[in-house]
């Protein structure tokens, strides 16, 4: 059994992961509307991964014999300016998720809940990967994104992404 405090922060994190899925899905729609189908595929796959992140937390809370509280998911908000700006917003969003995960790690440690503390390591690693992946795309967009032909190539590259179910 986990404490009420840990139960609440894990439920909040589930909400953040599902919000992330919504955010990426709305970005996917934006990219499809402007003809960037590779960007659209990439963000749609990321959306699926975010659902997996939420579901891993969901199973963990249930597995610890605690309660799930599914709160309302906010409407996703981002500025539809251009691909670089959208990826910069993704980066900021992922940084905020990293901070949230850091808080879960800190709180579980403070609560002497070492099982949750160990569990959350997977998310800490995942955040490092996600920030690095997004930051590489930003660098490419900064270097070449102004050129339409280069943007076309980046779009093709992002369109190669395959969905891999996220498993803990
Ligand atoms: Fe679930 Fe993008 O972190």
């Amino acid at each position: 059994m986990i404490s009420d405090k840990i139960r609440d922060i894990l439920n909040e994190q589930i909400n953040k992961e599902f919000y992330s899925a919504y955010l990426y899905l709305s970005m996917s729609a934006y990219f499809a509307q402007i003809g960037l189908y590779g960007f659209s595929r990439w963000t749609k796959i990321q959306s699926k991964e975010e659902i997996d992140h939420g579901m891993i937390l969901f199973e963990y809370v249930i597995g610890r014999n605690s309660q799930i509280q599914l709160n309302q998911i906010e409407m996703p908000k981002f500025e539809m300016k251009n691909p670089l700006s959208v990826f910069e917003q993704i980066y900021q969003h992922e940084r905020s998720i990293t901070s949230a995960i850091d808080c879960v790690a800190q709180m579980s440690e403070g609560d002497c809940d070492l099982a949750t503390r160990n569990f959350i390591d997977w998310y800490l690693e995942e955040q490092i990967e996600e920030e690095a992946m997004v930051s590489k795309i930003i660098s490419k967009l900064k270097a070449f994104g102004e050129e339409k032909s280069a943007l076309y190539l980046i779009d093709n590259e992002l369109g190669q992404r395959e969905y891999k179910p996220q498993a803990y």
Side-chain angles (χ1 to χ4, degrees):
M1 191 75 173
I2 54 182
S3 70
D4 290 356
K5 199 166 68 171
I6 299 297
R7 175 204 61 202
D8 290 349
I9 199 168
L10 290 176
N11 274 301
E12 270 173 42
Q13 193 59 39
I14 290 172
N15 189 273
K16 286 184 200 298
E17 300 293 345
F18 283 115
Y19 173 77
S20 300
Y22 245 37
L23 180 66
Y24 281 112
L25 197 59
S26 61
M27 288 169 168
S28 175
Y30 160 71
F31 284 128
Q33 273 160 12
I34 59 170
L36 290 173
Y37 297 107
F39 281 84
S40 177
R41 179 183 170 85
W42 193 97
T43 40
K44 198 193 298 174
I45 288 174
Q46 188 59 37
S47 172
K48 286 188 188 174
E49 290 200 1
E50 299 298 352
I51 291 174
D52 290 343
H53 297 169
M55 288 309 295
I56 292 168
L57 283 154
F58 176 92
E59 299 297 350
Y60 178 76
V61 172
I62 290 182
R64 297 297 307 278
N65 200 22
S66 191
Q67 297 86 33
I68 288 289
Q69 167 89 43
L70 294 177
N71 293 322
Q72 187 171 3
I73 301 168
E74 237 185 273
M75 195 170 114
K77 278 188 227 93
F78 70 98
E79 206 186 331
M80 300 178 193
K81 205 166 150 197
N82 54 47
L84 173 60
S85 157
V86 172
F87 268 80
E88 283 173 336
Q89 292 172 72
I90 290 176
Y91 187 70
Q92 288 312 319
H93 173 71
E94 287 302 342
R95 286 193 59 178
S96 77
I97 296 293
T98 302
S99 300
I101 297 283
D102 284 343
C103 284
V104 179
Q106 260 181 353
M107 202 182 273
S108 46
E109 209 162 297
D111 214 41
C112 294
D113 180 349
L114 297 186
T116 302
R117 177 64 193 83
N118 280 345
F119 165 75
I120 218 69
D121 266 345
W122 185 87
Y123 285 83
L124 291 171
E125 298 279 330
E126 184 65 20
Q127 286 308 119
I128 293 170
E129 268 179 39
E130 287 196 358
E131 283 189 24
M133 178 171 70
V134 172
S135 152
K136 267 192 197 162
I137 297 170
I138 291 175
S139 299
K140 273 189 198 169
L141 286 169
K142 277 188 176 160
F144 312 110
E146 300 278 301
E147 293 279 332
K148 286 215 166 176
S149 52
L151 190 62
Y152 176 76
L153 292 176
I154 297 171
D155 188 57
N156 273 346
E157 190 188 322
L158 296 187
Q160 304 301 313
R161 185 174 186 187
E162 294 291 341
Y163 168 63
K164 292 187 207 83
Q166 301 283 286
Y168 173 70

